[in-house]
């Protein structure tokens, strides 16, 4: 019982390994090139050895590295054996993939328990753990789609999507330049800056605050598929109409969050500023704006995703023959689903980088906030 408590992932991986051994072969008998005896033995040794290692008292970094190697090398051999054998995977194949995934899970659990002694080591762990999680989403996706021979039109494997990205860099770059560097960035900057400026005015004048906030809540609930075609009719088919959609989507979140943040300064702090004979603008700059920064950056992070979604959806309603939304709507009509997934992958990558830049700026600006003091 103590061994199971020490590593339930290892216990389950060992049981799956034994079940796979009883369910051999890994591929159907009619497979063109089944696994050889040597590679089959290596796979079982890696999975079973990793499962047994998880019960030992090795130092955490060594144990995590050993489990990482066992899980990923075994999975690499398994998926590599599918080349030319798509759709011939048996139950034993999927049991070994699941066992390898459990070893990777155990590796991540060990890494998560490590207390880094330096800031660089802590940063590496913060990056490594989600990277392993993300890699295993792709690994399981690849194994299931190729092993079960899922129709390409329903879900292409990540390897096919990666090949499409590598072969369509010029097209993808043109789409990113049209959608991201024109519509998204311009609309994001204009929407956030104007929302912030109007929030300052609404804070200064009560009638604006009482009139705009309810309207902002109402406009925030408008469906983008209703706003986008109107903006296309008003501003034309080029990037200007998409930037207008982004402005509408980002203006009110910034307005509402900034007004709420400006109200967060405590009464004692305001009384102290008044005792120093500070006027409205001095109190705003030195007290209330710093207190509102977490709310402002919260709006910036929300808007970083809203802007990308808004620009891509707006391109469905009319655009020049370039752009991420245009490419998705066009290629799905041609059944080129690998190109659609390539655009989705690029959009996800760009959105993650965009969000990460805003998060880093927040960390550098609001280092004094309790949520950032630990880092």
């Amino acid at each position: 019982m103590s061994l199971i408590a020490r590593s339930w992932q290892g216990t389950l991986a060992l049981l799956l390994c034994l079940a796979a051994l009883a369910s051999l072969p890994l591929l159907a008998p009619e497979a063109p090139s089944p696994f050889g005896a040597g590679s089959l033995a290596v796979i079982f040794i890696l999975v079973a050895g990793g499962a047994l290692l998880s019960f030992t008292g090795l130092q955490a970094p060594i144990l995590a590295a050993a489990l990482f190697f066992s899980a990923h090398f075994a999975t690499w051999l398994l998926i590599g054996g599918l080349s030319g054998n798509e759709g011939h995977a048996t139950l034993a194949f999927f049991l070994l993939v699941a066992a390898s995934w459990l070893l990777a899970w155990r590796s991540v659990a060990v890494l998560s328990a490590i207390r880094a002694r330096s800031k660089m080591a802590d940063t590496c762990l913060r990056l490594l753990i989600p990277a392993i999680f993300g890699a295993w989403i792709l690994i399981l996706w690849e194994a299931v789609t190729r092993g079960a021979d899922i129709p390409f039109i329903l879900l292409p494997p990540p390897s096919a999507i990666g090949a499409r990205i590598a072969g369509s860099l010029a097209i993808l770059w043109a789409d990113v330049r049209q959608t991201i560097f024109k519509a998204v960035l311009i609309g994001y900057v204009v929407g956030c800056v104007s929302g912030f400026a109007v929030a300052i005015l609404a804070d200064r004048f009560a009638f604006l605050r009482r009139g705009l906030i309810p309207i902002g809540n109402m406009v925030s609930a408008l469906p983008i598929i209703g706003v986008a075609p109107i903006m296309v009719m008003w501003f034309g088919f080029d990037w200007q109409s998409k930037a207008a959609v982004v402005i509408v989507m980002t203006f009110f979140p910034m307005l509402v969050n900034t007004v709420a943040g400006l109200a967060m300064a405590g009464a004692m702090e305001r009384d102290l500023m008044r005792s120093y004979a500070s006027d409205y603008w001095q109190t705003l700059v030195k007290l209330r704006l710093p207190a509102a920064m977490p709310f402002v950056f919260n709006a910036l992070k929300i808007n970083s995703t809203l802007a990308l979604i808004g620009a891509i959806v707006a391109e469905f309603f009319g655009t020049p023959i370039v752009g991420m939304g245009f490419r998705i709507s066009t290629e799905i009509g041609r059944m080129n689903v690998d190109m659609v997934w390539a655009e989705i992958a690029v959009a996800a990558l760009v959105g993650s980088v965009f969000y990460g830049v805003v998060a880093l700026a927040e960390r550098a600006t609001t280092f004094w906030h309790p949520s950032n003091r630990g880092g």
Side-chain angles (χ1 to χ4, degrees), residues 180 184-185 188-189 192 250 254 292-308 349-367 371-372:
I180 305 299
V184 171
L185 286 182
Y188 180 83
V189 171
C192 291
T250 56
M254 176 59 74
M293 280 297 104
F295 289 81
V296 173
F297 276 104
N298 185 52
L300 289 173
K301 290 189 289 187
I302 293 172
N303 286 342
S304 67
T305 55
L306 287 178
L308 185 61
L349 178 61
V350 172
S352 299
V353 171
F354 196 180
Y355 186 94
V357 169
V358 176
L360 288 175
E362 177 187 22
R363 196 173 184 84
T365 305
T366 62
F367 57 89
S371 63
N372 290 327

Side-chain angles (χ1 to χ4, degrees), residues 75 78-79 92-102 136 139-140 143:
T75 309
L78 286 167
I79 294 179
F93 175 88
F94 292 109
L95 288 175
L96 286 175
V97 171
S100 300
W101 168 62
L102 287 168
W136 269 94
I139 290 170
L140 294 175

